[in-house]
Every structure is written in structure tokens, then in C-alpha cells.
Amino acid sequence: MSRFWSPLVHTLTPYVPGEQPKIANLIKLNTNELPYGPSPKALEAIKAATDDSLRLYPDPEALALRTALGNRVGLGAEHVFVGNGSDEVLAHAFQALFAHGEPLLFPDVSYSFYKVYCGLYKLPYRMVPLSADMRIVVEDYAGPCSGVVIANPNAPTGIALGLDAIRRLLEMHPERVVLVDEAYVDFGAQSAVELVREYPNLLVVQTFSKSRALAGARVGFAFGQPDLIEALVRVKDSFNSYPLDRLAQVGALASVEDEAWFAQGVQHVVDNRSLLSEGLEALGFEVLPSTANFVYTRHPDRDAGELAAQLRSRAILVRHLKGERTMAWLRITVGTQEQCQALLDVLRDSVLRNS
């Protein structure tokens, strides 16, 4: 605490990111990074851009990237916003679209940054409980609100809603924005982007950090009708007119254009997810049905925190979230086939055997 802090700072409980340790021969399955590298074309584009042009500011509108993202889903650049990671895009959306006096609604088990944004921007909120089987129940989101935010697939559960459920949410709140956070959508869920033209209250947020292996470049984006995009731009340009540097823009653009590399990486993760889920179930774990690049799992006879600690002692990191409804669960990123098998081997031959 400091006497120099503004009053708001005293009230904040910041988001705690996943551990990024320096451990030799680490198997890192705790932060949902893609285990395969970015598109070689993206790396080449970034290297080519490390020239004298770095003395110049980047394009503040990122027009080439926005155009490419829009073309990929049949929308114009005016329907696309880009920011410094999807976290920044989400932060701008919370500030621009959800300050209407009534509570913002989001699940009680979901991305914990949502609650942090509400604290930062002094937004009232209500966390809607997931069902007993850890699913979002659309009907529970009825009633007055300033908007609705859901991750789809949800994190950390990995369970996705279908488009029929998204439609019901949109039609339930025609005068409020429904934000669908699709950070993990490419691994098996159905994107709501196709509904953007139909519903003026829909904002879909995605990222290059997961399926395109560019977490280190910090590129996020949103799709929505132009008035929603303008709201985000107004906030951005009142905060930082140049959020995406030259290297991030050219790397992301090249990644969008390399569809084959993207599809290959996603398919590897889907295949490895099946291997991991089946292996965990064979060891007695319960595994929720995931359409993300992670699985959410618990063992009926073992404490999840102790399991995470024992795995860490063997240079394998998984994520244990300590909330009331998440204490019993582990979120495990889908790694390479070799990493997934190594985790299963350690659980079978050492951790579970010593229980």
C-alpha cells in the first residue's frame, strides 16, 4: 500500500496469469499456448520487417490486417477491430459497451479477468452459476442487465454452446451487447461470427494467441457491426492510438494468409486432446467434454492442488484454480503427443501410485 495511490488502486484485485517459470526440460501445460510454432511465413514476415521502418509509427488502423480478417469471414474491415491481445480488446469492450448502471452478467466459473475489468471500470456485475455439470444455462441470463459476456468454449471447462443458444441470448437482450469471447473456438466449437450481420448487439472476440501460436505477439481482434467497432476505436484512440506494432501487424497478417499451417496445428491439438482425455479417463479421472486446447479434469480420490504440486516437482506444469467451485479440478493444456504421453506416464507410474 502507498499513500500516493489513487483510491481506485486500493480496491483492485488484479488478474494472476499462469506461471512462466524457467525450469530445465519443462513440460508446460498450464497457459494454453500452442505446442507448435507459428507459421513460418509469419516468422519470415516479422524478420523482414526488422529494418529501418521501425523508426516509423505503425499503421494506427491496422487496415491490411483488419481487411484480411474480415475477408476470411465475409465481412468488411469496418466490422473488425484489432488490439494488443484479446485482453485489451475485452478491456475496451467493457469500458465502451457495459456501463449502463445495471449488472453485467457472466458465468461464475469462467475467465477470471471479467471480474477484474469490472473492478477497474467500476461496473456492477452478477456472476451466473454454471449448472451442476459445469454448463452455461442460457435461461439463467434473463432479466435486466448491462450486457452479457460468455467465453465460448468456456474457460476453464472447455464446454461450448451451440449457435442456437447464442441466438437465444441475443434475442433475450436486444438492447444490450452480448460479447462472445472465442479465444478457443478454432479447436472444435462453432463461431458466432456468422451471426454478426444479423444481430446488431453481437460482439465476437478472438485471438492469435492460441490456435495461431502468436501469444508472444499480442494480437487480438473483434467482429461486430460498425457502430460497436466505432465504440472500441473511440476508447482505443483515447488510450493508445498505436496498440499493434509493425512486427505484430505483419506477423499476424502472414499468419492469416497461411491457412494450411493453421489447420495443421489445430488438427494436431484435436488429435492429442483425444489421446489426453482417453488416457486420463483410463487413470480414473473425470474429464469434461472439451472443444478447446485444454481439458478440465478431476480425480475422485486425489486433491487437485496436491496433484499439481507433485507434477510440478517432476517439471510438468498444469493449472490449478483455487476458487470455491474449481478447487477439485485441474486445467491441462493439450501439448504435443509426446508431452501428453509423458504426463500420463508420470501420473500412472509415480503420482497416482504414491497415493
Side-chain angles (χ1 to χ4, degrees):
M1 298 291 184
S2 169
R3 68 184 188 278
F4 300 113
W5 290 5
S6 297
L8 173 65
V9 178
H10 290 273
T11 70
L12 297 178
T13 303
Y15 173 77
V16 179
E19 184 182 7
Q20 297 280 0
K22 295 178 174 62
I23 300 175
N25 302 313
L26 179 69
I27 296 179
K28 192 170 181 296
L29 305 178
N30 67 321
T31 50
N32 299 339
E33 295 141 326
L34 203 74
Y36 310 101
S39 159
K41 295 180 180 179
L43 297 178
E44 291 171 8
I46 291 170
K47 291 176 182 177
T50 56
D51 58 16
D52 182 65
S53 67
L54 286 179
R55 65 187 176 82
L56 303 173
Y57 283 107
D59 175 8
E61 298 182 352
L63 183 58
L65 177 57
R66 288 170 47 232
T67 299
L69 288 167
N71 287 342
R72 188 170 182 268
V73 296
L75 295 171
E78 70 276 10
H79 289 86
V80 185
F81 177 84
V82 296
N84 186 23
S86 62
D87 287 336
E88 183 180 77
V89 178
L90 290 167
H92 290 343
F94 272 61
Q95 189 170 33
L97 303 171
F98 295 134
H100 300 293
E102 296 167 318
L104 178 64
L105 306 181
F106 50 86
D108 67 331
V109 178
S110 193
Y111 188 27
S112 58
F113 227 140
Y114 301 154
K115 184 177 178 180
V116 173
Y117 296 137
C118 289
L120 180 61
Y121 299 124
K122 298 185 176 181
L123 302 175
Y125 64 90
R126 179 166 64 87
M127 294 190 293
V128 181
L130 298 183
S131 65
D133 59 353
M134 304 294 273
R135 294 177 181 272
I136 292 172
V137 179
V138 169
E139 288 68 29
D140 292 344
Y141 290 77
C145 66
S146 287
V148 177
V149 177
I150 61 166
N152 197 45
N154 194 21
T157 68
I159 299 175
L161 293 175
L163 287 189
D164 56 337
I166 303 298
R167 284 182 180 275
R168 294 204 307 276
L169 272 175
L170 290 161
E171 292 168 4
M172 187 183 295
H173 298 289
E175 300 303 317
R176 293 291 187 245
V177 168
V178 174
L179 188 157
V180 183
D181 181 355
E182 295 187 342
Y184 303 100
V185 73
D186 294 323
F187 299 103
Q190 189 173 9
S191 176
V193 170
E194 66 182 71
L195 304 180
V196 163
R197 288 192 184 277
E198 186 178 351
Y199 291 95
N201 58 328
L202 172 63
L203 188 73
V204 178
V205 177
Q206 296 185 7
T207 180
F208 282 78
S209 295
K210 312 302 181 184
S211 56
R212 294 189 180 273
L214 285 172
R218 310 307 301 129
V219 183
F221 53 102
F223 299 107
Q225 293 203 7
D227 62 320
L228 297 186
I229 301 303
E230 181 184 351
L232 301 182
V233 171
R234 283 173 173 241
V235 171
K236 173 185 79 74
D237 287 348
S238 300
F239 176 72
N240 178 9
S241 295
Y242 301 98
L244 285 188
D245 62 49
R246 285 177 170 269
L247 305 185
Q249 288 191 38
V250 298
L253 178 59
S255 177
V256 172
E257 294 171 345
D258 194 351
E259 192 70 21
W261 186 267
F262 160 76
Q264 174 181 277
V266 166
Q267 188 59 55
H268 285 325
V269 168
V270 171
D271 292 342
N272 297 344
R273 185 177 66 207
S274 296
L275 166 71
L276 180 59
S277 298
E278 292 167 5
L280 288 168
E281 288 173 344
L283 293 173
F285 285 84
E286 175 188 357
V287 183
L288 296 185
S290 175
T291 51
N293 69 334
F294 57 83
V295 299
Y296 207 44
T297 185
R298 64 182 176 181
H299 195 282
D301 302 320
R302 295 300 305 272
D303 179 89
E306 291 179 1
L307 285 175
Q310 290 179 48
L311 287 170
R312 192 184 190 283
S313 71
R314 293 160 175 81
I316 300 175
L317 292 187
V318 298
R319 193 81 190 265
H320 179 233
L321 303 170
K322 297 181 180 179
E324 181 179 348
R325 298 190 66 188
T326 59
M327 284 291 291
W329 298 83
L330 295 175
R331 192 196 69 191
I332 304 176
T333 303
V334 177
T336 64
Q337 181 176 338
E338 293 76 17
Q339 289 173 330
C340 292
Q341 190 59 57
L343 167 69
L344 294 171
D345 291 344
V346 167
L347 285 170
R348 182 189 64 242
D349 298 337
S350 181
V351 173
L352 294 179
R353 178 174 291 182
N354 293 333
S355 61

